[in-house]
Amino acid sequence: MAEMQILTAAQMSEADHRSVEQGISVRELMENAGAAVARFCLRHLRQHGGGGPIVVLCGRGNNGGDGLVAARHLARAGRTVRVALLGVESDLKGDAAAAWEAARGVDGLELRPVCDESTSREAIAGAGLIVDAVVGTGFKPPLRGLAVAAREVVAELATPVVAIDLPSGWDADSMGLAGGAEAFRADAVVTFAAPKLAHVFGHLTPGKSFGPVVVAAIGTPAEALPAATELQWAGGSKAVAERPRAVDGNKGRFGHVLIVGGSFGKAGAPSMTSLAAMRAGAGLTTAAVPRDILPMVAGVAPELMCAPLQESVAGVSGQTGLALEQLEAGLLTGLLKGVSVVGIGPGLGQEGATPEFVRGFVERVSLPMVIDADALNAMAGRTELLKRAAGQKDAKGRARTIVLTPHPGEMARLVGSTVKEVEADRVGLARGFAVEHGVVLVLKGWRTLIAHPDGRVAVNTTGNPAMSKGGSGDVLTGIVAGMLAQYSESVTEAVEAAVFLHGLAGDFATAEQNEHTVLATDTVRHLWRAFREPVQDRDGFTWIAGLAARKRRQEVAYA
C-alpha cells in the first residue's frame, strides 16, 4: 500500500476543500463515508446480546450526515435502525439535511429527534449497537448540551459503540492518552482518507483492550492530500514484507546477520536477538558471544551459527585492553566476512573493556549496524562518534546505515538528559537527534517513533503493555537486523516494518494469552502471524489498530 500520512484537523479540512475543487462533492464523500461505516458494522461487529436495534446518534453537521447515510445502508441490509438526532430537523442544513430526507421512509429505519436527557435516554434504550455520529474531526472540545447528556447515557451501558471519524469529543489534534477523557467511549473507530493525530496517539477506552481503528477510502483524490506531513504511519511500510520472494532465491540473497552480545549471566539476550533475526527472514545468522556462554546460546536453535569471543570483550573477566587489541590485530576480520548487518549490544554488559570495545567496533567496522542496550550505554556522552560512523560510505557510495533502538532511559543517558525531558517532546527529540547524527532512531515507548536522517518520523501503532518485559528490546533488535539484511535497498521501510511487525506479533501473543503472561519469546513465536496478516482487508479498510483481534475472529462479539 502507499505511504499513509498522519494529518492534523486543519490538513484534513484542507483536503476536503481540495477534493471539492477537483470535482468530488461533499455529498459524494458523505455517501461513501456512510456506506463504509455500515460495511464495517456489518462485517466486523455484531449487535449486543438480545439483538436490539442499531441506534445512530447524529449531530447536526456533516458527521451527523455520515451517520444518516450509514443508518440508511444498515436498514437496507435488513437491520432495525433508529436515528437519534440531537436536535430538531430544522437544525439540519445542506448535505446533512439532504441525508435526512434520503432516510425518510426507508423500511426498518426510524428517525427520532432528541430534545433533552429524557428523550435521549428513551432513544438509546435497548440498543444492540450504537453508532456515534455526533461530531467529527473539525470539532474542538468540550462537548455541550445534548451531546453531554447522550454521552452520559452511553457511558452507563455495556452496548458496543462504533465512532464515525472520531469518538465525539476527542480533539483530533491530541497527542496524549488523555485527549479523549471527556469524549464518548468507543469500541471501534472508522475514519476516512487518513488517520489523524488522535487516532495514532490516543486510546479508545481506558481500562479496555485496544479496539479497532480503521481508515476507509472514500474517494478523496490523492492529489488533495498533503504530499508530506510532520508524521507518517509506520504500518504502511509493512508492504515491503508482503512482497513474495523470488522463486529462485537462496540464503545468500537474504542477508547474513551477526549478533554481537552476551556476558556471564546474560546468555538469553543474544539468544533471543538471534532467534528473532532468523524468524524475521535473514538467510544466515551468527551469534558472536563470550566463549563461556556459547553452548547456551547455540542451544537456542540448530540453525544458528556461533562464534566465540574472548571473554574480556564482554567484560566477564574484568580485564582491560584486550578488546581493542583484537580489533587492531584484525582478529575479527574472518568473522565479519560476508556479513550484511551487525546487531550489537544485547546482554553485552558494561564491565571491563566492553564500552571501549563497543566504541572501537562501531567506528572501525563499517557495516550497517543496529545498536541497542549496553552498546547504547557505551555511547553516552560520545554521540559524535555515531555521527562520524554514520558519515562513512559503503562500496556503492551510500551513507552507512546505523539504527539506534533506545528506550527512554537509554535515550536520556545518550543525550545527557532525564527520562521526563525525553518524554516531554518525543517527536522533536527523536527527529532532531536523527537528523543531526545521520542515524535512524527507534525511540521505544507508547507509540514507538522511527526517526530518519531526512527528518521523516513514523509512528508505530502496534504493541501493548504485555510487551513491557525483559527481552522485548532484544527481540526488536533481531527483527530490525533481519529486515535490514533482506531489504538493504529500502532502509526506511525495513526499519518501520520491523517495528510494526514486532508490536503486531506481541498483539497476537496477547490475544492468545493475556497482558500478564506473555514473554518476549512468545512474541517471536507469533511473528509468522504478523507477517501473514495484511494491514488492508478485502473491504479496503486499513487497520491502524486492532489488527490482531480482526484475525483472531473476523466478527468481534460484544456479549
Side-chain angles (χ1 to χ4, degrees):
M1 62 172 295
E3 180 180 281
M4 184 168 279
Q5 308 290 334
I6 300 170
L7 306 187
T8 63
Q11 287 168 334
M12 190 67 246
S13 176
E14 179 63 22
D16 287 340
H17 287 307
R18 289 179 180 174
S19 296
V20 172
E21 290 173 357
Q22 295 183 36
I24 310 296
S25 68
V26 173
R27 184 63 191 277
E28 185 177 349
L29 294 172
M30 185 179 289
E31 285 291 326
N32 292 340
V37 171
R39 192 165 64 250
F40 179 83
C41 291
L42 294 169
R43 179 78 70 183
H44 296 285
L45 300 174
R46 81 178 183 199
Q47 288 160 260
H48 194 59
I54 298 175
V55 174
V56 183
L57 299 173
C58 291
R60 293 166 291 180
N62 285 349
N63 193 252
D66 295 340
L68 284 161
V69 174
R72 193 175 78 239
H73 282 275
L74 288 165
R76 287 178 174 164
R79 302 299 192 270
T80 300
V81 184
R82 180 188 304 148
V83 168
L85 174 66
L86 304 187
V88 294
E89 181 183 344
S90 59
D91 292 332
L92 295 171
K93 302 292 187 252
D95 295 294
W100 176 275
E101 289 301 317
R104 287 186 186 276
V106 175
D107 289 342
L109 176 55
E110 175 190 1
L111 301 176
R112 184 185 296 190
V114 169
C115 302
D116 52 33
E117 181 178 352
S118 176
T119 53
S120 174
R121 192 171 295 276
E122 291 173 3
I124 299 171
L129 175 67
I130 296 170
V131 178
D132 167 15
V134 179
V135 291
T137 292
F139 174 81
K140 288 296 181 184
L143 292 170
R144 295 182 176 84
L146 291 173
V148 174
R151 182 193 66 196
E152 296 307 310
V153 173
V154 171
E156 297 170 5
L157 305 176
T159 310
V161 180
V162 58
I164 297 182
D165 196 21
L166 283 162
S168 292
W170 257 19
D171 182 347
D173 290 338
S174 170
M175 294 179 67
L177 281 170
E182 300 301 319
F184 275 69
R185 69 173 180 83
D187 299 282
V189 175
V190 182
T191 191
F192 314 111
K196 274 55 95 183
L197 290 168
H199 292 125
V200 296
F201 287 105
H203 175 38
L204 297 186
T205 306
K208 292 191 67 174
S209 61
F210 297 81
V213 177
V214 303
V215 177
I218 58 171
T220 305
E223 299 76 18
L225 296 169
T229 60
E230 288 290 305
L231 298 167
Q232 292 80 38
W233 177 55
S237 289
K238 185 178 179 289
V240 74
E242 294 174 355
R243 303 171 191 163
R245 286 184 164 188
V247 294
D248 61 345
N250 59 70
K251 63 188 178 185
R253 293 175 62 176
F254 303 121
H256 185 172
V257 172
L258 174 67
I259 302 301
V260 179
S263 58
F264 185 75
K266 296 181 180 179
S271 299
M272 288 185 286
T273 304
S274 300
L275 186 62
M278 291 189 290
R279 287 290 188 191
L284 293 168
T285 302
T286 298
V289 298
R291 191 180 302 276
D292 279 1
I293 67 169
L294 190 146
M296 290 177 279
V297 176
V300 73
E303 299 89 349
L304 177 62
M305 299 182 292
C306 291
L309 295 176
Q310 293 289 340
E311 290 184 355
S312 57
V313 171
V316 173
S317 66
Q319 299 176 32
T320 59
L322 289 178
L324 277 181
E325 286 177 10
Q326 289 186 86
L327 283 172
E328 291 166 352
L331 298 180
L332 299 181
T333 302
L335 182 62
L336 296 169
K337 187 177 181 179
V339 167
S340 309
V341 59
V342 177
I344 184 169
L348 201 57
Q350 301 181 62
E351 297 81 8
T354 301
E356 186 182 11
F357 168 77
V358 168
R359 291 189 288 268
F361 190 94
V362 170
E363 196 161 25
R364 303 178 193 199
V365 177
S366 58
L367 289 166
M369 201 168 288
V370 184
I371 304 174
D372 185 36
D374 288 320
L376 284 172
N377 293 327
M379 298 294 169
R382 306 287 291 274
T383 58
E384 75 286 349
L385 188 154
L386 292 170
K387 190 172 184 177
R388 288 198 305 271
Q392 297 172 350
K393 302 294 183 181
D394 64 14
K396 296 182 179 179
R398 300 170 302 187
R400 180 180 171 196
T401 298
I402 292 183
V403 182
L404 312 182
T405 60
H407 58 57
E410 291 163 341
M411 190 70 211
R413 287 191 289 275
L414 198 62
V415 299
S417 182
T418 66
V419 171
K420 185 176 181 180
E421 289 169 333
V422 169
E423 296 289 73
D425 183 20
R426 287 170 55 82
V427 173
L429 178 65
R431 177 181 281 118
F433 190 94
V435 171
E436 180 183 352
H437 294 85
V439 301
V440 180
L441 181 73
V442 177
L443 181 56
K444 295 179 284 196
W446 170 259
R447 297 311 200 190
T448 291
L449 304 174
I450 306 97
H452 299 276
D454 63 359
R456 172 191 171 104
V457 177
V459 184
N460 183 51
T461 52
T462 57
N464 64 81
M467 301 173 74
S468 302
K469 287 186 178 177
S472 285
D474 303 316
V475 169
L476 175 60
T477 296
I479 299 172
V480 173
M483 291 296 286
L484 283 173
Q486 298 167 83
Y487 306 107
S488 61
E489 303 295 327
S490 305
V491 171
T492 297
E493 292 81 3
V495 179
E496 291 178 9
V499 176
F500 186 86
L501 288 163
H502 177 236
L504 183 55
D507 291 340
F508 275 115
T510 305
E512 183 178 277
Q513 300 182 35
N514 63 54
E515 291 182 350
H516 295 84
T517 62
V518 171
L519 302 178
T521 47
D522 294 324
T523 301
V524 179
R525 187 165 57 85
H526 284 81
L527 259 179
W528 71 271
R529 296 181 183 274
F531 271 90
R532 179 175 289 185
E533 193 66 12
V535 295
Q536 191 171 81
D537 67 19
R538 60 182 177 176
D539 294 312
F541 295 116
T542 299
W543 288 65
I544 302 298
L547 196 55
R550 181 193 83 189
K551 179 63 177 178
R552 180 165 48 94
R553 46 182 178 176
Q554 291 297 320
E555 186 178 74
V556 180
Y558 295 93

